[in-house]
Amino acid sequence: MLGIRERGRAGARGGGGEAPGRGPEKRARTARDRPAGRWLWGVGTALLLLAVHSNWHLAAAAWLFPVFLLRYARLRPARHGLPRVGYALGLAQLVWLISTGMVFVPSVVAVFAVLALVQTLPFAADRLVAARAGSVCSTLVFPVVLVCGEYLFTRLAGFGDYGALGFTQHAFLPLVQLASVTGVYGVSFVVAWTASVAHWAWQRGFRWPEIRRGAVVWAGVLALVLGAGGVRLVYCAPTTETVRVAGISAGRAAERATERALHTAGEELWRPRNLVRADPRRVRAALAPVTDDLVAATDREARAGARIVVWPETQARVLANDRQRLLGRVAGIARKRQVYVNTAFALHIPRPPYVRNVAALVTPEGKVAWTYDKTHPTPMEPMTPGEGAVPVTGSPYGRLATVICYDADFPGLMRRAADQGTALIMVPANDWAGFESLHAQRAVFRSVEYGYAMVRQSVHGVATAMDHQGRIRGLADYFTADRQTLVAEVPVQPRTETLYSRTGDLFALLCTGGTLLVAALGVRGRRARAGAPGAGGERP
């Protein structure tokens, strides 16, 4: 009787025998994996926080963090592991929002919450689809779905191309050259695929006979990408003929004088609505220190040899009735010194939204070649967007164009400049502490993607000048100088045609097609498991 009862208890515990996949060996392995899983999540999350593109990010961390989070997701049940990977990605976005000061903008927080969900999808695809395949081809699932998510977020969210993993590699120029073929998405793919291959090898204990073929394929592709990038840097280098460009910002003393004048007497003249309704003489006097300083700096840099001068975004503020007077002063310098001056200012108008964010190019003939309104105001800028027509004009230094600050985060808009043969694009900008380097680093990819040089003059941030291959030709940090002045010799040559400027987002579209295939394989596999003998409660 005792033996019968013991056998009965054993049968009850085992459900009449060991369930499929839950034998003693499996239970022991799961128990061993639990602490390892927590450790993997912690390391992956820590590396992820360092990998998010910020002023303090580490490029190497972007290659490493997916390895640990992929491993963690594989070791845990999907219903537990994937949400925790999502938590890590959401935490990284929250840290980014806090570090940049964007956490106080509700619309931005909402968009980045969606981004965290999108970034979880490639981990889900790896866990639910790639985990059931054994070949090295399964390593493509993670990077393909990641690139698809980046592309769809850029196209649908209306927030620029934020969240692209490739931006973390802005200083790795041999790899960045891939953007001339695929856009930033190709760089994201290489980084993500490397992590996926590393995880695939780790899963096989790094046993060389098992991973040899996959490792050789990965190493060959990476060598080809970096080798081609190195060849492009060496053999397609810019010409030695250059033009001297100066980016100028008003000094801090002038900024402080204007700010004091706008905040006195409790009238809050810094608000556009109040400013346009106040006494014009008082407003003109309050705004004069900055505009006078910029005009004086324009003349100073022109006398020093600059042939192109670029102002920053909205540091100067001008009443609508004073616009011609300001441009007339700049035109006098342009004619006398034979320079192009890309002015930029907040133009205060008497009707809502009471301000326009504009750039106006003054030519050596003293004429205004264009007046451009910012196409993509940020969520913090309550102003009417421009029409999106990128202005381009000829010059002895190649065709010149302009956009304003946040506009450069939209690849489609920047393509319009390339389509018109732009050789040098000028980008007036205005950043802030916590965000001072990010736009400048992202701008490297726009130059490489479309083959034109760029001068980005950013007050309250890092101003940069770069050639069409992403080399930094000049840099000026607002926070380390009393008077931010960028002076650079920028190569003069026709725009370098790139494959990306011809084919557009073809690579990203291919990854989108690949993601549909991954989804179809996932559905097919789920149905096959549901119909297998023993599934759905059926017994063999």
Side-chain angles (χ1 to χ4, degrees):
M1 293 294 293
L2 179 60
I4 295 173
R5 284 197 296 270
E6 288 300 327
R7 287 194 297 272
R9 293 189 189 109
R13 287 194 299 268
E18 290 296 339
R22 296 296 297 174
E25 182 181 347
K26 176 73 173 183
R27 288 198 301 270
R29 187 167 65 250
T30 302
R32 290 195 303 270
D33 286 343
R34 284 195 187 104
R38 289 194 292 269
W39 174 79
L40 289 166
W41 187 88
V43 173
T45 302
L47 289 169
L48 172 59
L49 296 180
L50 295 174
V52 174
H53 187 211
S54 63
N55 286 328
W56 35 263
H57 75 275
L58 297 178
W63 299 75
L64 297 174
F65 87 84
V67 181
F68 294 91
L69 292 184
L70 286 168
R71 188 66 179 147
Y72 172 78
R74 290 281 188 97
L75 290 177
R76 305 294 293 164
R79 65 182 181 277
H80 298 309
L82 292 177
R84 289 169 185 167
V85 170
Y87 299 157
L89 293 162
L91 176 62
Q93 297 301 338
L94 179 61
V95 169
W96 185 88
L97 290 167
I98 293 172
S99 70
T100 59
M102 304 276 283
V103 73
F104 302 107
V105 186
S107 61
V108 175
V109 175
V111 167
F112 277 79
V114 173
L115 177 60
L117 291 174
V118 171
Q119 291 175 333
T120 307
L121 295 179
F123 292 92
D126 178 83
R127 174 64 178 81
L128 300 175
V129 180
R132 303 186 183 279
S135 71
V136 69
C137 293
S138 65
T139 63
L140 296 173
V141 170
F142 179 70
V144 162
V145 178
L146 181 137
V147 169
C148 173
E150 292 181 350
Y151 174 67
L152 293 180
F153 180 80
T154 299
R155 298 289 296 178
L156 301 178
F159 205 78
D161 54 357
Y162 280 85
L165 187 63
F167 285 125
T168 60
Q169 307 303 308
H170 61 89
F172 191 3
L173 288 186
L175 178 59
V176 169
Q177 303 311 302
L178 179 60
S180 67
V181 178
T182 64
V184 67
Y185 304 112
V187 179
S188 294
F189 183 94
V190 169
V191 175
W193 186 40
T194 298
S196 185
V197 170
H199 170 254
W200 175 81
W202 186 359
Q203 194 176 27
R204 285 153 181 77
F206 297 103
R207 292 183 290 272
W208 181 247
E210 294 185 33
I211 68 172
R212 179 177 59 236
R213 181 177 300 177
V216 169
V217 170
W218 165 79
V221 172
L222 187 63
L224 177 63
V225 168
L226 297 181
V231 169
R232 185 173 192 265
L233 286 169
V234 172
Y235 292 100
C236 301
T239 63
T240 56
E241 185 180 357
T242 61
V243 58
R244 181 165 178 156
V245 179
I248 59 170
S249 298
R252 298 192 181 215
E255 275 195 310
R256 286 193 294 266
T258 289
E259 290 301 314
R260 283 195 302 268
L262 293 177
H263 285 79
T264 56
E267 294 185 55
E268 295 186 324
L269 292 183
W270 56 274
R271 296 184 182 275
R273 180 176 180 177
N274 296 341
L275 188 144
V276 299
R277 295 177 177 178
D279 181 356
R281 291 172 297 181
R282 182 180 177 189
V283 171
R284 194 174 294 120
L287 302 180
V290 167
T291 53
D292 290 347
D293 199 336
L294 286 169
V295 170
T298 299
D299 187 56
R300 180 188 70 238
E301 296 305 322
R303 284 188 286 110
R307 299 289 65 128
I308 299 173
V309 179
V310 183
W311 289 22
E313 176 194 21
T314 64
Q315 188 183 28
R317 305 177 66 173
V318 183
L319 292 174
N321 291 337
D322 294 334
R323 172 185 174 184
Q324 292 304 322
R325 178 174 178 272
L326 173 64
L327 293 178
R329 295 171 65 189
V330 174
I333 298 171
R335 282 193 300 267
K336 182 177 181 181
R337 308 295 182 191
Q338 288 296 289
V339 296
Y340 290 85
V341 185
N342 196 42
T343 65
F345 46 86
L347 181 64
H348 292 280
I349 55 179
R351 59 187 181 278
Y354 303 109
V355 65
R356 291 169 54 192
N357 189 340
V358 302
L361 178 69
V362 181
T363 69
E365 295 76 32
K367 298 179 179 179
V368 177
W370 65 57
T371 298
Y372 168 80
D373 284 75
K374 188 174 186 179
T375 300
H376 294 285
T378 69
M380 296 84 76
E381 293 179 301
M383 60 184 62
T384 303
E387 297 178 354
V390 177
V392 178
T393 189
S395 81
Y397 319 111
R399 293 179 66 78
L400 308 179
T402 196
V403 295
I404 298 176
C405 197
Y406 188 41
D407 288 342
D409 292 342
F410 292 81
L413 183 69
M414 300 298 280
R415 186 188 308 278
R416 297 174 192 174
D419 290 343
Q420 299 179 72
T422 296
L424 171 64
I425 189 165
M426 299 169 286
V427 186
N430 193 338
D431 293 308
W432 61 89
F435 213 94
E436 61 266 27
S437 299
L438 303 192
H439 271 134
Q441 293 167 356
R442 294 161 61 85
V444 169
F445 283 86
R446 296 292 96 93
S447 284
V448 175
E449 287 169 345
Y450 296 118
Y452 43 54
M454 181 185 299
V455 176
R456 186 177 185 278
Q457 178 60 20
S458 174
V459 69
H460 310 126
V462 175
T464 51
M466 65 198 74
D467 63 29
H468 72 280
Q469 293 182 329
R471 294 183 186 85
I472 302 301
R473 296 294 184 129
L475 184 148
D477 188 346
Y478 171 86
F479 296 103
T480 60
D482 179 63
R483 181 181 295 278
Q484 182 195 36
T485 303
L486 166 69
V487 179
E489 294 289 339
V490 178
V492 177
Q493 62 185 63
R495 185 181 75 86
T496 301
E497 189 75 25
T498 66
L499 186 60
Y500 180 70
S501 65
R502 291 183 177 182
T503 62
D505 295 320
L506 177 61
F507 179 78
L509 289 170
L510 291 173
C511 288
T512 302
T515 299
L516 294 176
L517 177 60
V518 168
L521 291 173
V523 171
R524 180 181 177 184
R526 185 179 181 87
R527 289 177 177 173
R529 291 190 300 275
E538 294 183 47
R539 296 281 182 184

